[in-house]
Amino acid sequence: ADTITDSKPKFWRIELKLKNVAALGYATSELLSDALALTSIYNVGFSDELMFLVEDAIINGDGASKPLGIVGHAATVSQAKETGQAASTIVFDNVRKMRTRQWARSRSNSVWLVNQEAEGQLSTMALVVGTGGVPVYLPASGLQEDGLDRLYGRPVIPIEYCAALGTVGDIILADLSQYAMIRKGGVQQASSMHVKFTTDEMAFRATYRCDGAPMWSAALTPFKGTSGQTLSPIITLATRA
C-alpha cells in the first residue's frame, strides 16, 4: 500500500522525412517498336537500381537526401582489431568480441553482413581447443532450409554494400529491427513522349520515396558490469591495415 515512486522517462526524437530517389532513361520509338520487351527491361532495371541505392544508403548513407546508414553512426560500436593482427584479415577473436559487444536482446534478430571477399577468411575460422579445433563457421548444407552459411548460429549474408576486406564495414553484426524505415507507396513508373519529342525518343522514369535511420542515438552502457564496454545492436570491425 505504499505510494508508487513516479518517474519521467526521456525520449529521443527521430525525424524522418520522405526523400526521393529517381531513375531516368530514353529509348527511340524505332527501338521500342523493334524490341518489344524493352519497356519491361527498363522497368525491371530501374526497380533493381533504386533498390540498390536505398539498400546501400541503409548501410553507408550520410543522411543528406538519403537514409542515414549504420556504418559510422554514433550508436554503432566499432570493435578494435587484435594486437599485431595482419592487414586484410578477420580472425576468430574479432567475431567473438563483436558478438560480446552486441546488445543481448538483439542476438536472436541479428545477421552477419559481409563483403564476399571476407568469406574466405570466415570459411577457415575455428576455435582452438588443445591441439585441435572446433569450427565456428558452418557453411550451408542440406540440413539448413534457408541455405545460408552461419557464424555463431546466425546467418551470414554477403552483400555488395559492405566495404573492402580489411576496412570498417567489411563485416557487420546487425539487428536491423533497430533501424527505422518509412516509405510511401512502391516504385512509381511513368513514361512520356514529350521530353524528347524532336528526337523521337520515349522517356522512362521511376521514383521511390523513403527515409530511414538507426533508432539508437548512442551505444548503451550496461546496467551492470566491470568491463566498461558499451553495447549496441550494430557492431562493426575497425580497420586492419
Side-chain angles (χ1 to χ4, degrees):
D2 289 342
T3 300
I4 299 173
T5 302
D6 63 351
S7 63
K8 295 181 178 180
K10 295 181 179 180
F11 291 88
W12 178 53
R13 184 173 65 181
I14 303 175
E15 185 176 27
L16 299 178
K17 295 182 178 180
L18 290 168
K19 299 176 174 67
N20 195 45
V21 58
L24 182 65
Y26 303 99
T28 64
S29 298
E30 184 180 47
L31 182 60
L32 289 171
S33 177
D34 294 343
L36 300 180
L38 186 59
T39 300
S40 297
I41 293 173
Y42 262 117
N43 291 340
V44 172
F46 282 165
S47 295
D48 288 347
E49 187 61 21
L50 294 184
M51 178 184 70
F52 181 93
L53 293 172
V54 171
E55 290 180 348
D56 180 59
I58 291 172
I59 302 299
N60 302 303
D62 58 9
S65 300
K66 62 175 71 71
L68 183 59
I70 59 177
V71 173
H73 188 267
T76 297
V77 165
S78 180
Q79 174 60 42
K81 68 176 183 177
E82 295 301 295
T83 302
Q85 182 174 345
S88 301
T89 59
I90 300 174
V91 298
F92 171 68
D93 279 339
N94 293 150
V95 299
R96 177 180 65 82
K97 291 179 180 180
M98 288 176 70
R99 184 173 182 270
T100 301
R101 298 292 299 277
Q102 187 174 51
W103 186 46
R105 297 185 190 181
S106 285
R107 289 184 179 178
S108 60
N109 295 320
S110 63
V111 295
W112 297 89
L113 304 175
V114 301
N115 186 302
Q116 282 187 245
E117 295 176 341
E119 291 185 298
Q121 298 286 314
L122 300 179
S123 62
T124 58
M125 191 174 292
L127 170 62
V128 177
V129 180
T131 58
V134 178
V136 294
Y137 180 80
L138 300 178
S141 68
L143 300 177
Q144 297 169 210
E145 294 182 0
D146 56 15
L148 295 173
D149 301 343
R150 292 185 179 272
L151 181 61
Y152 269 113
R154 302 308 305 161
V156 177
I157 303 174
I159 59 174
E160 293 183 77
Y161 324 115
C162 280
L165 181 62
T167 55
V168 177
D170 60 344
I171 179 170
I172 307 169
L173 181 56
D175 172 14
L176 293 176
S177 71
Q178 299 301 304
Y179 187 91
M181 189 80 186
I182 62 170
R183 64 179 182 176
K184 191 167 186 177
V187 176
Q188 303 298 312
Q189 307 272 5
S191 61
S192 173
M193 63 176 289
H194 303 292
V195 178
K196 293 281 189 176
F197 181 79
T198 58
T199 55
D200 193 27
E201 292 176 276
M202 181 71 75
F204 295 91
R205 186 190 68 198
T207 59
Y208 182 64
R209 300 179 69 203
C210 67
D211 196 17
M215 297 170 63
W216 289 43
S217 61
L220 174 70
T221 299
F223 176 53
K224 293 184 178 180
T226 58
S227 68
Q229 292 187 325
T230 54
L231 308 176
S232 173
I234 311 294
I235 314 296
T236 57
L237 184 58
T239 296
R240 286 127 286 140

